[in-house]
Amino acid sequence: MTSTARETVLGRIRDALALAGPGEVTVERAYRTGRTLPGRERLELLTGRLVDYRAGVRTCTADRTAEAIAEALRERGARRVGVPAGLDPAWLAAFDGEVRQDSADVPAPSLDALDGVVTASAVTCAETGTIFLDGSPDQGRRALSLVPDLHVCVVDLSSVVAGVPEAVARLVPERPTTLISGPSATSDIELERVEGVHGPRTLEVIVRTDA
Amino acid sequence: MSSPTGGGTFLGLPAVPSRPPYGTGNLRGDRAFPEAAREELGNDQLRRNLAKATRTIRGKRLAVTAELPDWEQLREAGAAIKTDTMNRLPELLEQLERKVTEHGGTVHWARDGVEANEIVTRLVQESGSDEVIKVKSMATQEIGLNEHLESRGITAHETDLAELIVQLAGDRPSHILVPAIHRNREEIRDIFRAGIPGVDPGLDAVPAHLAAAARAHLRKKFMTVPVAVSGANFGIAETGTLSVVESEGNGRMCLTLPRTLITVMGIEKVLPRYRDLEVFLQLLPRSSTGERMNPYTSMWTGVTPGDGPQEFHLVLLDNGRTAALADRIGREALNCIRCSACLNVCPVYERTGGHSYGSTYPGPIGAVLTPQLAGMDAAKNDPNSSLPYASSLCGACFDACPVKIDIPSLLVELRHQHTERSGTTAEKLVMRAAAAVMRRPALFTAAQRVTAAPGRLVAGRDEVVSRLPPPFDGWTDSRDLPAPPRQTFRSWLASEEGAATLREAAEEGRRDREGRAAGREDDDEEAR
Ligand code: SF4
C-alpha cells in the first residue's frame, strides 16, 4: 500500500508539473553572507540580545571558567548539577555541590531531579542571540540540556559569528542540533509574555572572551 | 482509499491530481464565509482580543524586519528557493526519502489525510501505546488526526499551550501562530479548572500561573508517553534533516524524550539544501512572532544512537497539494511557510477571526490555500467557494509575506475560476457583492453609518438602502445598538444600489486582473 501511495504521489507531482509547467526562477542570494565583525562588536551585540531575552550573561577569561560557572550555579541556588560526559571536569572544580555525569541510559525523569546542567556550545549567532548545541561530547544529548530548569551554557567568543548564514555554515547537518535564543517562553495567553514553560526557565550564558 | 483518478500518468497523458475526498479533514467549514463571519462579528471579546493581538504582532514584526538591511533580498531568495523547490519536487522528495532512510528513519507516503491518519494510527498501535504527545502542527490539524486517533482509542495530548487550551475547551484554533487568541485569561482559567485533572481549584487567571499549571500537567506526559507526533517546518532534501521551530520547549520535549517520533509533513515543506535554512531561519521568526529568533529550533536527521527517539517515521502528505501544484497561478500558495504575517495585517481577518474561514488555514493565506487544497465543489454548494471573496484585496498581505506570495492576485484568479464554474447563480452574485463591499472603505463606512439608523428598510427603487447585507451589517464598533431589522441579501441584490454595486464589482474585477497582469506597485503596507 505504501509503495503504491509513493508512486501515486510522485506521479501526481509529475502530472501537475507537466500540466502547468515549471515556474521561471533563478535563486539569487543577494542577502548578506560571510560577514565578519571584530570580537568586541560580536560580544556587545550578543550580550545585548541575551539581555533582551532575559537570559543571564557574564564574561570571563578561560582561566576563570570554573569560578564563573560556580558563581552562576550558586546565584541560582543549584545544588545538584548534571554535566555531559565530555565536559572538561576542571570546569566544575570550583563548584561545591553534587555533579552527576550524564549517560545515554539515564532515564529522563532522573534528569528532572537535577537543579541544573552545564554545557559547552557549538556556534553562536550574535545578531539573533542564538546558541547552537550540536550534541558533541561537551554538550551532551538533547534531553540533558532540556529537562533541568537551569541551563548554564559556556560560549567561546571565537565561536560567535555575526549572522545566521555564518552560523549555519559552521554546522554539521547530521548532528542533532538545537537552537536556543533565551529561555523558553510563551505568549499564548493574551499575548502576554511568560518566560519558562517547558524548557529551562533560566538560561545563564558565560562568554569566554579569550577562548 | 483515494479515488482512482489522478493516480499518475495514464497512457502518457497527465491527469489533474485528485483532491482529498469531500467531507474529510478540516479544510472546509459547514457554512459560507459571510454567514460564519456574521456570527463572529457579534463576538466582542473575540474582536477585542484579535485587534490587540494583531496590532501587537504587527508592530513587532515591522520593527525586526526593518532592522535588516537585506530583508528584501532575503524575501527574494525565499520566494525563489520555494519556486525552485516546486519545480524539482519529485527529485527532492526522493532525495529526502533516501537521506532519511540512510540515517535510520522510515518514510511513508500518504495520498490524502485519511491515508496519513491510518499510517500514524498503525505506527502508534505498533508501539503498544494508547497515548501520544503532540507538537503543534498545521498538517495534523488539517487532516483531523486527533479525532481519528480518538476514534481508535488513542489519546492525543496537545502540548503547545494554546493548542492545549483549544483542546481542553473542545474548541478550534483561530490563528496559525496563537491558536487560542480568541480566549481571554479568565476563560482560560475556567478551561484549565475544568479540564486539567488534579489542578489547584484556586488557580487564578495570572498568565504565569496558568502557564505553570500547564507545565506541571504536561511534564508527566513528557516523561512517560513513549510516542510523539509532530509536524515539520522544513525538511532538507540534501541531508534528510527535519526542523521544528517553536517557543515553549514542548517541541523539544516531544522531539527528544519519547522512544518513537512520527512526523507528518506536507510534501511542499521540503527545501533543497541545508544552506537554505540560512534564509528561512531569518524570514520565519521575524515574520511570525516578530522576534529576531524564536526561543527554540530543533533539527534532527533520522535517528542518533543514544540521543532522542530511536525510531523515526516521516509521513509525506499530499492531501490536495499536487492538485494545487497543477494550477499554474494557484500553486504559489504552496510556498507558504505559515508565518501568519498575512493574518495579522488583514482587515477582514481582524474583524471576523479565524473560525469564519472554516478551515485549519484562516486569513488571507487560508482563503487561497484552502480552496486550492480541498477544491470549490460547484455541485455541493461548497462553503470554500466563498473564501476567495473574504478579502478586500487591499494588498497588505502581499507586502507582509516573507516569501512574496501575491495573495490578492491569487484571490482574483480563484474568483474568476469560481465564476467560470458556477455560472450565473444567486450565490455567485452574492459573493461578488460581498467582495465589492469588502474592497471599498466607503461602503464599510456606509454600513456603519446606516446601522445607526435602525428600522429603515429598502421599500422600492427610490428608497435609500439603510442596511447592507450581512456580514456588513455588523461591521461597526457600535455593538451596543439595538439590532435593526435585517435586509436579506436577496432584497438588497434586487435594489438599484445592489445592481449598481455588482456592475462596479465586475468592472473592478476586470480592471484588477488587467492591472495585475501589467504589474503592480508595492504599496507601503502601513500607508494603505
Ligand atoms: S502566505 Fe506568506 S504571510 Fe501568509 S502565512 Fe504564508 S508565508 Fe506567512
Side-chain angles (χ1 to χ4, degrees), chain B residues 166-418:
Chain B
V166 167
Q167 189 182 40
L168 290 177
D171 208 349
R172 284 173 302 138
S174 62
H175 189 283
I176 295 178
L177 174 70
V178 274
I181 199 60
H182 55 295
R183 297 286 190 181
N184 66 21
R185 62 187 71 189
E186 285 78 22
E187 290 176 293
I188 294 166
R189 174 203 56 205
D190 295 343
I191 292 166
F192 278 13
R193 280 190 188 165
I196 297 181
V199 80
D200 174 8
L203 179 66
D204 61 24
V206 176
H209 300 164
L210 294 169
R215 175 185 167 105
H217 168 60
L218 288 171
R219 195 138 261 237
K220 288 178 226 133
K221 300 295 173 197
F222 290 138
M223 297 297 157
T224 54
V225 177
V227 186
V229 177
S230 84
N233 291 97
F234 313 109
I236 310 295
E238 178 188 29
T239 58
T241 306
L242 278 296
S243 177
V244 165
V245 173
E246 53 134 355
S247 294
E248 295 172 9
N250 63 307
R252 289 176 72 191
M253 290 280 178
C254 290
L255 300 169
T256 305
L257 298 183
R259 206 172 53 226
T260 302
L261 172 62
I262 305 165
T263 298
V264 181
M265 181 181 108
I267 52 174
E268 84 285 17
K269 294 277 169 221
V270 69
L271 288 175
R273 313 156 209 84
Y274 193 78
R275 187 188 172 183
D276 296 328
L277 288 169
E278 73 189 18
V279 176
F280 292 98
L281 288 179
Q282 297 194 73
L283 289 177
L284 181 54
R286 286 180 197 260
S287 302
S288 178
T289 50
E291 294 169 298
R292 297 187 176 100
M293 191 65 88
N294 51 290
Y296 298 138
T297 296
S298 295
M299 310 202 283
W300 73 98
T301 307
V303 168
T304 306
D307 186 348
Q310 295 301 293
E311 202 181 310
F312 172 56
H313 297 273
L314 175 64
V315 182
L316 295 173
L317 175 71
D318 179 351
N319 208 41
R321 285 158 177 78
T322 50
L325 190 66
D327 182 325
R328 186 160 173 86
I329 296 170
R331 69 159 58 141
E332 212 190 323
L334 294 175
N335 294 359
C336 173
I337 57 173
R338 313 276 190 267
C339 74
S340 75
C342 58
L343 278 62
N344 300 328
V345 299
C346 178
V348 174
Y349 175 85
E350 187 177 307
R351 286 171 178 82
T352 61
H355 290 158
S356 306
Y357 297 78
S359 161
T360 293
Y361 306 104
I365 184 58
V368 291
L369 186 61
T370 303
Q372 289 289 339
L373 295 177
M376 300 181 286
D377 199 322
K380 291 196 171 77
N381 198 13
D382 188 346
N384 281 351
S385 305
S386 65
L387 289 179
Y389 300 88
S391 166
S392 65
L393 301 180
C394 73
C397 48
F398 183 24
D399 299 332
C401 179
V403 289
K404 301 187 78 162
I405 300 174
D406 184 357
I407 297 176
S409 288
L410 266 63
L411 287 166
V412 170
E413 167 64 18
L414 280 172
R415 288 177 188 184
H416 175 68
Q417 289 179 12
H418 171 239

Side-chain angles (χ1 to χ4, degrees), chain A residues 32-63:
Chain A
R32 298 170 300 164
T33 54
R35 271 191 297 157
T36 54
L37 286 176
R40 175 133 304 279
E41 281 177 43
R42 278 179 284 132
L43 180 61
E44 258 171 43
L45 196 53
L46 174 63
T47 307
R49 298 303 190 238
L50 290 171
V51 169
D52 194 35
Y53 293 141
R54 287 179 243 189
V57 53
R58 65 190 80 214
T59 55
C60 72
T61 49
D63 60 343

